[in-house]
């Protein structure tokens, strides 16, 4: 698996070297140029799908920002549409030459990938669901003079827009990548930015639902968060600062009835449709990262006489389990498995009390969102 990942990144590098037209490539002589090498790939680090574990990328639009400096007080001085050429499949990559002329110095470069369908002008269509709609991007990050105006790097967050809710988060893919570089205005430089998810995901694929159950819910120990830093932070601090109301503790709600169980497909929060087994229920959603909680997730089954709660424990991949864990960016927490090659819903039959949840995109576990 490790060799396969190295091979995948090598292939992506080759694509970066080959794609794009001549005017997008660095030029020599005279004033130097800053070229941003953008990449979204099908590797576990950056693949995207709500419909199972197939390696895909769905970025439709990319905005590039430059902050003057590398610390929290660095201010945004550039905000440009990278004119992302959407490429279906596992790997997408292109060069983008910065149009704004920058002074010499240290900069932080940030690229944000959005999943909204595009208008005829190739801008995010905010009348439809997606990250642009949910978080007011790309305009939520503003460029200024770099001294007193322009968004501070410490404030470069994706924040839930006014009037939006957890339902908008559930259907919004959000990706970002950043890097720091120094420029002398004379030499050309290329800054590589790999787009990775800034959201987490949850998925339930269940079968053999006990008779009489009318609803199944995946419950979180704390309300959902409404913001997330766009630049990945240290692992223990890579979370937002603001939460929504208690009603958002329900991450997934799945009705159970004859029609749902008989169906052989289901439409997901992002509008995609996937096949499922008869007799099963399936749901998946995005959410923003949540710090570790005790008994982070539970599965609640409702029937005519009340509710039954099943504890959810995380498979650590090391032969052990834990009930207390965070919901991290770029992770999918999956009950049951679904992909083009695997169709294995979790069996709720029998007397099982605990439910096992898997999912780490960052290691050799093939369970992407």
């Amino acid at each position: 698996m490790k060799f396969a990942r190295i091979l995948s990144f090598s292939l992506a590098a080759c694509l970066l070297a080959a794609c794009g037209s001549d005017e997008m490539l660095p030029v020599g002589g005279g004033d130097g140029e800053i070229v941003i090498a953008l990449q979204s790939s099908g590797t576990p680090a950056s693949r995207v799908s709500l419909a199972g574990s197939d390696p895909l990328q769905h970025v439709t639009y990319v905005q590039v920002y430059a902050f003057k400096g590398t610390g929290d007080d660095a201010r945004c001085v550039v905000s440009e549409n990278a004119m992302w050429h959407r490429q279906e499949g596992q790997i997408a990559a292109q060069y983008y030459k910065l149009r704004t002329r920058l002074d010499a110095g240290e900069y932080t470069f940030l690229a944000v990938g959005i999943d909204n369908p595009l208008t005829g002008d190739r801008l995010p269509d905010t009348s439809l669901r997606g990250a642009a709609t949910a978080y007011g991007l790309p305009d939520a990050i503003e460029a200024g003079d770099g001294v007193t105006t322009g968004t501070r790097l410490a404030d470069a967050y994706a924040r839930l827009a006014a009037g939006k809710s957890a339902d908008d988060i559930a259907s919004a893919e959000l990706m970002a990548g950043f890097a720091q570089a120094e420029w002398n205005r004379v030499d050309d430089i290329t800054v590589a930015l790999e787009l990775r998810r800034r959201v987490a995901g949850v998925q339930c694929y269940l079968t053999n639902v006990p008779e009489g159950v009318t609803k199944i819910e995946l419950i979180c120990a704390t309300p959902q968060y409404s913001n997330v830093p766009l630049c990945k932070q240290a692992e223990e601090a890579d979370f937002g600062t603001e939460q929504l109301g208690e009603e958002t503790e329900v991450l997934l709600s799945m009705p159970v009835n004859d029609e749902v169980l008989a169906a052989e497909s289901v439409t997901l929060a992002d509008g995609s449709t996937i096949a499922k087994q008869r007799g099963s229920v399936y749901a998946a959603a995005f959410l923003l990262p949540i710090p570790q909680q005790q008994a982070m997730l539970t599965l609640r089954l409702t029937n005519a006489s009340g509710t039954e709660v099943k504890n959810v424990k995380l498979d650590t991949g090391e032969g052990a389990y834990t009930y207390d864990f965070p919901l991290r960016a770029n992770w999918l927490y999956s009950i049951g498995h679904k992909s083009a090659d695997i169709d294995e819903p979790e069996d709720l039959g029998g007397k099982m009390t605990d439910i096992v949840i898997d999912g780490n995109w960052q290691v050799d576990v093939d369970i992407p969102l």
Side-chain angles (χ1 to χ4, degrees):
M1 291 293 292
K2 183 176 181 180
F3 172 76
R5 281 208 304 247
I6 293 173
L7 183 61
S8 177
F9 276 107
S10 298
L11 175 59
C14 292
L15 284 176
L16 281 171
C19 69
S21 59
D22 291 342
E23 65 268 23
M24 300 173 69
L25 297 175
V27 295
D31 285 344
E33 303 283 356
I34 299 175
V35 174
I36 307 299
L38 298 165
Q39 177 185 333
S40 174
S41 75
T43 64
S46 61
R47 60 194 175 187
V48 179
S49 176
L50 272 178
S53 61
D54 302 298
L56 300 169
Q57 63 81 27
H58 294 150
V59 174
T60 60
Y61 177 96
V62 175
Q63 190 82 359
V64 172
Y65 307 92
F67 294 78
K68 190 175 183 178
T70 58
D72 286 348
D73 291 331
R75 289 186 179 272
C76 182
V77 292
V78 171
S79 175
E80 295 183 6
N81 177 356
M83 299 303 292
W84 177 258
H85 299 287
R86 185 177 181 180
Q87 298 151 319
E88 299 289 349
Q90 296 187 18
I91 296 175
Q94 72 180 55
Y95 282 108
Y96 174 72
K97 185 166 63 178
L98 215 61
R99 298 191 303 272
T100 304
R101 302 297 300 175
L102 295 176
D103 295 332
E106 289 187 311
Y107 290 88
T108 300
F109 297 92
L110 168 67
V112 175
I114 295 170
D115 62 336
N116 282 63
L118 301 184
T119 65
D121 296 328
R122 293 184 64 187
L123 297 175
D125 187 346
T126 54
S127 70
L128 302 173
R129 286 192 171 185
T133 308
Y135 306 112
L137 293 165
D139 295 338
I141 307 298
E142 298 180 346
D145 61 15
V147 179
T148 60
T149 61
T151 300
R152 295 170 63 245
L153 190 57
D155 299 324
Y157 274 68
R159 290 183 170 86
L160 190 63
K164 303 305 177 182
S165 69
D167 288 341
D168 295 282
I169 294 175
S171 57
E173 174 55 57
L174 176 67
M175 304 184 77
F178 79 102
Q180 298 171 347
E182 186 171 1
W183 191 49
N184 61 15
R185 282 190 60 88
V186 176
D187 298 316
D188 299 337
I189 63 169
T190 300
V191 181
L193 301 178
E194 183 177 16
L195 300 174
R196 298 190 178 195
R197 282 176 305 273
R198 297 305 296 144
V199 295
V202 287
Q203 173 185 286
C204 280
Y205 186 27
L206 309 169
T207 193
N208 203 5
V209 178
E211 187 173 352
V213 170
T214 58
K215 183 170 61 175
I216 301 176
E217 297 166 298
L218 184 65
I219 310 297
C220 185
T222 189
Q224 292 187 47
Y225 277 70
S226 62
N227 65 352
V228 64
L230 289 169
C231 296
K232 178 178 172 57
Q233 306 295 302
E235 187 173 277
E236 67 277 3
D238 199 24
F239 304 100
T241 58
E242 301 169 1
Q243 288 182 276
L244 298 170
E246 291 184 0
E247 72 280 359
T248 66
E249 292 176 1
V250 179
L251 303 182
L252 296 174
S253 182
M254 295 162 280
V256 181
N257 53 49
D258 290 343
E259 181 180 358
V260 168
L261 294 176
E264 297 183 353
S265 66
V266 61
T267 300
L268 305 178
D270 64 355
S272 59
T273 300
I274 67 162
K276 72 173 185 67
Q277 293 183 17
R278 289 177 62 87
S280 69
V281 295
Y282 182 103
F286 298 115
L287 68 155
L288 297 182
I290 298 175
Q292 181 168 315
Q293 308 289 323
Q294 291 186 335
M296 173 60 90
L297 297 176
T298 53
L299 203 63
R300 183 167 67 197
L301 282 62
T302 300
N303 54 41
S305 58
T307 61
E308 176 187 359
V309 174
K310 294 181 180 290
N311 299 317
V312 175
K313 57 187 180 182
L314 177 69
D315 184 350
T316 66
E318 300 175 351
Y321 301 91
T322 180
Y323 298 95
D324 310 330
F325 51 90
L327 301 181
R328 297 193 182 281
N330 211 36
W331 282 50
L332 171 71
Y333 298 83
S334 175
I335 299 174
H337 303 282
K338 178 66 179 176
S339 73
D341 302 317
I342 303 174
D343 191 347
E344 297 177 353
E346 181 80 11
D347 192 334
L348 290 183
K351 299 180 179 180
M352 178 175 55
T353 301
D354 292 346
I355 301 291
V356 175
I357 197 164
D358 295 295
N360 182 353
W361 278 306
Q362 301 286 3
V363 296
D364 294 334
V365 179
D366 190 21
I367 312 173
L369 185 61

